[in-house]
Structures are given as structure tokens and as C-alpha cells.
Amino acid sequence: MSAPDAVPSAQQPADPSAVDPADYPRKVLFVAGAGRSGTSTMAGLMQILGLHVPQPEVVADETNPKGFGEPAWAVEHHDRLLKEAGVQVSDSRPDAWFETGRVSTREKERITTAEWLESHFAVSSELVVKDPRLAWFLSLWRVAAVRTGATPVFATMLRPPAEVVGSKQTYYKNRLGSAHLAASWLNMLLHTERATRGSIEGGDGSARVFVRYADLLDDWTKTCMHAGETLGLQHVLHARSEQIRDGHRFVDPSLRRVTQSLEDLGLPKRLHDLTADTWAELNKLADPGGDTPDVHHNLDQLREAYVELYEESEAISRSSVVAAEQAVRRELKGRPNAGRPGGGPAAAAPAAPAGDLADRIPHGLRAAIPPSVRRGLRKAVGKTRP
């Protein structure tokens, strides 16, 4: 599988608009970032400007009435891989990256992913793939894109962590506590930044941008044009006036409906400070010329500090994990056994659904449960993952 030959720069026609879009070099824009951080708005705008979202798409709903801009196949693909890796979408464990990385290196998955991408290049030479689960499998997608002769490029959305946490709790009815959601935001953004850093160090032509959600809502044309120029997205650079008008109708500044601050979350002090410092450094990446070695160094130190904090928390929470495991086992042991041989209650109360039992494990503890214990709990309660 190879990409169509790109026109050498010395042979580019005087009028760039004369280039047939079918002759644009193959490129895949991967929109990454935490859920509820503006990834749907970014993907939707890129689609309006001419990039192709592989069909069919996830259907819009009340949590995202303007649409998700997500290929349904990619969402199902990621869900399956996350289940196999035993990783949650909002997983705060640093080790979760090892588990998804292990799945990403499977040759079967690389072939499947590359074949799917290849099939959609028949529609357009520039694709956009977005899903909140995407960041867990960036290495898989990078390899798949290169195998199709395409250049992978990355746009990571940035939104204040307190707003991300509040939006998840509001629109997803998320019962995970603020501390867990803030930790999962840290885990996601710190590792996504590191995983995409190769885009500015490698020689394959790939690139990356960081986009503030607020900037996208305030002046989407300026923000998208900067992304188009940095990433070399030809459809964006050659957008027509009617597409710009459609973009203005699509962007709604009122989309930023959650505006709470970090202080509102009541986080433990070390977690609060790490989150605040990480947000400050990530913000620098969105500034012109801000993607610098000094910022990378600071983010590396913050990532190491987060891993240290998580390991300490995990080490001292063992008693809570054991207590949660014992509570589930007691619950299972107390289930009535209706109709058992030898006589029993003729009409026993129905057993509690497996999901209800799993939900009785405090959500803040689930990510800290060691893998061996999690596997036992999954088997016991009949759930894919706790």
C-alpha cells in the first residue's frame, strides 16, 4: 500500500487551488485529548473544511448534540482493545500505558487498522480520526498510517482540567470522584504529550499542534488555520468561503457550559499542585513557538512526579483494596440460591445484578486494585472490568 505521489514543491502550480484534492498527499489527522475537552468540535470543524471522517459516524445525542465526529469502527475497535488490555477509558494508572502498548504491538491489530485506513483513502486523501480512547493507541495508529503511505499528524485539545472533570460529571453522570478524574486527566495528557513528541523529532514529516478549546470557540478560523499550516492540511489551507460560513454556523461559544475552577474540586494538595503545574506547562505548548525542549523537560518531571504520587497512593491503599474485595465476596456468598436441590426457599429474592455488585466497590479504589485481584473480581461478578 502506498500513497499517491506528492507534487514536488518546485513543480507546484502557481495557483494552489488548481491542484486536484485527489492529488493531495495522504495524511491522517488524529485528534487526541481527554473526553469533554473539545475534541468533537475540532474534528467537526476539520470535517467541514474538507477532511473526511470515515463513515459511519457515532450518532449525535444529548451530550453532544452537534455530533461527535467519531468513526463508529474506531470506537468499537478501541473498546475491544481496552477490554483486552483491562484498561478503563478514564484510567489513572501509569501502568495502563504499558498494557495498551502491549496490545498495540500485535501484528494482527496493526494489519487490521492499516487495512481500515486504506479503505477510506478511496474517499479522500486526508482523513480525521477522533475518539477519547484514541490516545491509548497512538503507536498503533502511527504505524498503521505509515503502512498506508500516509503521514500521521496530531492535534491535542487542551481544556482546563476542572472544566473537563465537571463536564464528565455533568454529562456522563460520572460517579467517579473529582480526585480520580483529575488523576486520569493528568495520566492522559502527560503521556499523550510524550507519545506525540516524536512528531517533532522524527523525519517522517509528521507534526503536532496543541489547541486550547477556548481559542477554538473564540476564533476558530485563526486557530484552525494555524493547525492547517503547521500540519500541512491541504483541505484546510484551500478551504472555500461556503465552508467557512458552515464553520461559523457550527461553532457555538455557549458550548463552554462548565466553567468551574480547580479550587472547586477540593483535591488533595499534591494532586492539586501537580494538576495546576501540568496545565500551566501544557498551555505553553499552544503558544506560538512554545513547543520547546524546556517545556518538554518540565513535563517529563511532572510525569515522573505523578507516577511517584500514584505509586505511593497505591502502596498505602492496599487495606482498602482488600476490604473492597472481601465486601464483594460477602455479597456473592449471601446471594439466595433459589430452587436448589434438597429444598430451599420456593420464592427467593432475585440476585443482585453483577453490575450492582461491582458498583459497590468504591470508584476511587478500582484503579488501584492489582491486576490479579481485578481478574478475580471480574470473574466473580461477571463484568468485563471493574
Side-chain angles (χ1 to χ4, degrees):
M1 295 178 286
S2 61
D5 293 334
V7 179
S9 57
Q11 301 176 20
Q12 290 283 1
D15 179 9
S17 64
V19 178
D20 186 339
D23 293 330
Y24 292 159
R26 285 189 176 189
K27 193 157 288 189
V28 187
L29 170 62
F30 296 106
V31 180
R36 309 305 299 181
S37 63
T39 53
S40 296
T41 303
M42 184 65 173
L45 282 168
M46 288 296 158
Q47 184 177 28
I48 289 171
L49 295 177
L51 276 73
H52 176 62
V53 174
Q55 300 296 301
E57 291 181 48
V58 173
V59 179
D61 62 21
E62 66 278 1
T63 70
N64 220 337
K66 295 212 169 189
F68 292 89
E70 295 175 0
W73 185 90
V75 173
E76 294 170 1
H77 189 45
H78 293 150
D79 274 340
R80 176 178 61 82
L81 295 178
L82 284 174
K83 288 177 182 178
E84 291 184 15
V87 171
Q88 307 164 55
V89 177
S90 297
D91 207 310
S92 60
R93 295 171 301 146
D95 283 350
W97 294 100
F98 171 80
E99 299 298 334
T100 56
R102 179 176 50 80
V103 172
S104 295
T105 60
R106 294 177 183 170
E107 184 62 15
K108 176 183 175 182
E109 303 301 345
R110 289 177 170 180
I111 292 172
T112 299
T113 307
E115 289 178 343
W116 180 80
L117 280 177
E118 179 66 34
S119 69
H120 290 283
F121 279 121
V123 179
S124 175
S125 59
E126 291 187 329
L127 309 179
V128 55
V129 178
K130 169 262 172 180
D131 177 24
R133 306 156 187 80
L134 174 70
W136 292 111
F137 304 102
L138 287 176
S139 63
L140 171 64
W141 285 102
R142 187 194 295 271
V143 170
V146 171
R147 286 187 176 186
T148 65
T151 300
V153 294
F154 305 89
T156 301
M157 296 301 300
L158 301 178
R159 186 181 185 184
E163 294 183 13
V164 172
V165 170
S167 187
K168 286 186 175 183
Q169 291 176 323
T170 299
Y171 293 101
Y172 292 165
K173 308 301 180 185
N174 202 310
R175 290 173 291 176
L176 297 173
S178 295
H180 174 90
L181 289 174
S184 68
W185 178 89
L186 272 172
N187 196 37
M188 173 64 69
L189 270 296
L190 285 169
H191 285 84
T192 298
E193 186 281 322
R194 186 63 187 87
T196 58
R197 199 180 297 172
S199 303
I200 59 175
E201 297 171 349
D204 60 356
S206 58
R208 71 175 185 176
V209 293
F210 289 81
V211 178
R212 298 186 190 93
Y213 184 41
D215 291 345
L216 198 63
L217 296 182
D218 290 343
D219 190 344
W220 74 267
T221 54
K222 177 181 177 181
T223 304
C224 286
M225 184 56 65
H226 169 70
E229 292 173 347
T230 303
L231 305 178
L233 300 172
Q234 298 304 309
H235 281 92
V236 176
L237 298 178
H238 302 150
R240 301 183 304 276
S241 58
E242 58 266 30
Q243 292 172 307
I244 303 299
R245 288 194 294 270
D246 289 342
H248 284 309
R249 285 190 286 266
F250 176 76
V251 174
D252 178 4
S254 70
L255 288 171
R256 193 177 180 183
R257 293 181 285 264
V258 178
T259 56
Q260 66 183 6
S261 69
L262 199 56
E263 285 69 25
D264 296 327
L265 300 185
L267 302 176
K269 185 179 187 309
R270 284 181 65 190
L271 181 60
H272 178 283
D273 292 346
L274 268 176
T275 304
D277 291 345
T278 298
W279 173 243
E281 293 299 322
L282 289 172
N283 255 296
K284 296 176 183 178
L285 296 173
D287 291 332
D291 204 344
T292 66
D294 286 344
V295 176
H296 304 165
H297 173 71
N298 294 339
L299 287 166
D300 286 341
Q301 290 188 317
L302 288 165
R303 192 175 65 256
E304 291 172 6
Y306 173 69
V307 171
E308 179 181 316
L309 173 61
Y310 191 90
E311 289 176 346
E312 290 177 357
S313 302
E314 190 175 35
I316 65 176
S317 65
R318 177 63 186 173
S319 293
S320 295
V321 173
V322 171
E325 179 187 7
Q326 290 174 342
V328 171
R329 288 177 175 170
R330 285 196 301 271
E331 193 77 39
L332 291 170
K333 188 176 180 180
R335 284 186 182 183
N337 190 1
R340 61 188 176 188
D356 291 347
L357 294 176
D359 286 340
R360 297 187 188 187
I361 303 174
H363 288 275
L365 298 177
R366 295 187 189 183
I369 299 177
S372 59
V373 177
R374 286 201 311 275
R375 286 192 292 270
L377 290 175
R378 286 199 298 268
K379 182 178 180 181
V381 303
K383 285 182 70 69
T384 302
R385 56 182 183 272

